[in-house]
Amino acid sequence: VRLVESGGGLVQAGESLTLSCASSGFIFDAYLMGWHRQAPGKQREVVADISSRGVPWHRDSVKGRFTISRDNAKKMVYLQMNNLEPEDTAVYYCNANFNGARDYWGQGTQVTVSS
């Protein structure tokens, strides 16, 4: 199983980034796919997820700014992040979960937003 994130970087507040996660080694379209983040000194939190049927969920603090999407044919999941804020600075992780029983993580990609 592999989850490989890309697209992180250093941006200024108000700018945009798109994170991508390339997946392999499992039945992608059966899994709940998600993006989580962990800021220094804080617990990891879920940012957004999208069901196997394509139903998205976003945490309140990113609603209207972030959009999660998936492409089952390409086994990819994306996180479009607009109007970034310094509070969004964190390591962002791609996650694949199947009924809570199988849980896979990528290595993470750093997003840094300067004010």
Side-chain angles (χ1 to χ4, degrees), residues 18 20 35 48 55 86 88 91 94:
T18 301
S20 300
W35 287 97
V55 178
D88 297 317
V91 178
C94 180

Side-chain angles (χ1 to χ4, degrees), residues 6-9 17-21 35 77-81 92 109 111:
S6 61
L17 282 174
T18 301
L19 304 183
S20 300
C21 175
W35 287 97
V77 62
Y78 307 97
L79 187 67
Q80 174 68 44
M81 304 186 294
Y92 283 71
T109 186
V111 172

Side-chain angles (χ1 to χ4, degrees), residues 29-79:
D29 54 5
Y31 279 66
L32 174 75
M33 298 300 298
W35 287 97
H36 298 234
R37 66 187 179 188
Q38 188 165 18
K42 295 186 176 181
Q43 289 190 332
R44 191 174 297 191
E45 63 182 17
V46 60
V47 177
D49 62 35
I50 185 165
S51 73
S52 59
R53 296 186 177 184
V55 178
W57 173 89
H58 302 82
R59 71 181 302 110
D60 286 347
S61 61
V62 308
K63 281 181 180 178
R65 300 189 298 122
F66 291 11
T67 303
I68 190 171
S69 61
R70 67 190 293 164
D71 185 330
N72 287 346
K74 296 181 178 179
K75 299 184 180 181
M76 297 285 294
V77 62
Y78 307 97
L79 187 67

Side-chain angles (χ1 to χ4, degrees), residues 4-19:
V4 180
E5 301 97 336
S6 61
L10 171 63
V11 298
Q12 293 187 332
E15 294 185 338
S16 299
L17 282 174
T18 301
L19 304 183

